[in-house]
Amino acid sequence: MTVYADPPARLGESRLSDGRLLGWAEWGPSDGVPVLLCPGAATSRWLGFGAGVVEALGVRLVSVDRPGLGASTPAPGRTFAAVAGDVRQLCALRGLGRPAMVGNSQGAPFALACAEAGVASAVAVVSGADEVAAPEFAAVLAEDLRGLVERTARDPAGAEELFAGFTADAMWDMVMAGSPECDLAVYEDPGFAAAYRRALSEGFGQGAAGYARDTVLAMGRWPFDLDAITVPVDLWYGERDTSHSPDNGALLAARMPEARRRVVPEIGGALLWTHAEPILVSLLAQATTSG
């Protein structure tokens, strides 16, 4: 039986300089090589990846709740730069140094913002949300997505209010409805489904404002300079992933000088859980080279 995600080995909250709390979870040895996870949309620190792999590779995997999600104090109006600043503080407080980072799904632009800010030593973008507001994508977006992108650009506050109407059940239903059979084999696995649904429940535990702010940031133009990211970046996309990037990361890879793109056959957006070992092996090698 395949185990895609284990319960966290350690849970906690760290207090930032302004008094807010940032929730985190850890897997693997406490003295292992730090790898920091920026989780996907609306999921809390509870959902990790690489069951058994992080221990075998000596990885200390750390997942962080963004403000307003899970155990982290809300920060209305926060920006990408503010999140990168929070992560920088957490790294200092938890002794993570300048860790390698994994950005999954909607967590991808936050991981890239951290890289641009000098917080990360290397990044793996896995099934990463792309900058769908980039003008190169305007003609190829599905009509409903294009409408949301245009609404977010025209009225970000109104779009944030719209996204704040989401719930954990609505998010689960949306992911299941948009996933190919190869991904559903992972998502509907009883152990994984329980972990995923718990992470969604915790992610919406303070309401939907944290998710809504994340979505407005991710769906708008990204204010950081991708060309300025000089650390190694691996971009991993599943061949059957139709949800995260219009071109499976081809344009995104071309915009970063040290990026490498890999398209994996026979899988979609569940790539983080089906291919954890090669993702982490490559990321650790990249971080060692850049460090």
Side-chain angles (χ1 to χ4, degrees):
M1 176 181 172
T2 301
V3 178
Y4 297 105
D6 283 330
R10 298 171 292 278
L11 289 169
E13 296 87 38
S14 294
R15 190 169 298 278
L16 303 178
S17 59
D18 63 0
R20 288 182 296 118
L21 293 175
L22 214 58
W24 50 264
E26 293 191 359
W27 295 258
S30 58
D31 60 350
V33 179
V35 173
L36 195 145
L37 171 64
C38 292
T43 53
S44 76
R45 59 186 174 170
W46 181 264
L47 184 60
F49 71 99
V53 175
V54 294
E55 292 82 5
L57 294 177
V59 166
R60 176 188 176 190
L61 179 65
V62 184
S63 182
V64 183
D65 288 339
R66 289 186 290 278
L69 279 77
S72 290
T73 307
R78 61 185 162 82
T79 62
F80 281 115
V83 173
D86 287 352
V87 173
R88 188 189 303 276
Q89 282 197 58
L90 181 72
C91 289
L93 291 168
R94 298 292 301 155
L96 305 180
R98 188 165 165 252
M101 295 185 68
V102 176
N104 176 236
S105 187
Q106 197 174 82
F110 294 95
L112 293 174
C114 288
E116 195 265 352
V119 178
S121 59
V123 176
V125 168
V126 186
S127 307
D130 209 333
E131 188 180 10
V132 290
E136 293 89 344
F137 290 142
V140 299
L141 297 180
E143 184 177 352
D144 55 346
L145 177 56
R146 185 169 63 250
L148 284 174
V149 170
E150 291 172 352
R151 177 170 183 173
T152 300
R154 183 176 64 251
D155 179 18
E160 193 164 341
E161 185 176 349
L162 172 68
F163 298 135
F166 263 64
T167 65
D169 286 342
M171 180 63 64
W172 170 265
D173 291 343
M174 184 176 72
V175 172
M176 296 305 109
S179 297
E181 287 296 325
C182 53
D183 287 353
L184 292 177
V186 177
Y187 298 152
E188 294 177 346
D189 171 85
F192 184 86
Y196 194 1
R197 298 206 71 153
R198 173 168 179 167
L200 286 172
S201 178
E202 291 183 354
F204 282 102
Q206 302 183 68
Y211 161 72
R213 185 61 184 166
D214 276 3
T215 304
V216 166
L217 291 173
M219 197 167 282
R221 292 307 308 268
W222 298 351
F224 47 90
D225 184 4
L226 291 169
D227 288 342
I229 298 175
T230 57
V231 299
V233 179
D234 281 343
L235 293 102
W236 295 80
Y237 286 90
E239 182 184 36
R240 300 189 182 182
D241 185 353
T242 60
S243 301
H244 293 102
S245 170
D247 62 1
N248 274 358
L251 176 63
L252 189 57
R255 296 172 66 190
M256 292 180 284
E258 298 297 328
R260 302 186 305 173
R261 184 175 75 114
R262 307 176 191 211
V263 179
V264 181
E266 304 302 320
I267 193 63
L271 184 63
L272 182 66
W273 296 281
T274 61
H275 288 70
E277 184 170 8
I279 288 167
L280 284 171
V281 167
S282 179
L283 179 62
L284 293 175
Q286 296 278 55
T288 299
T289 300
S290 71

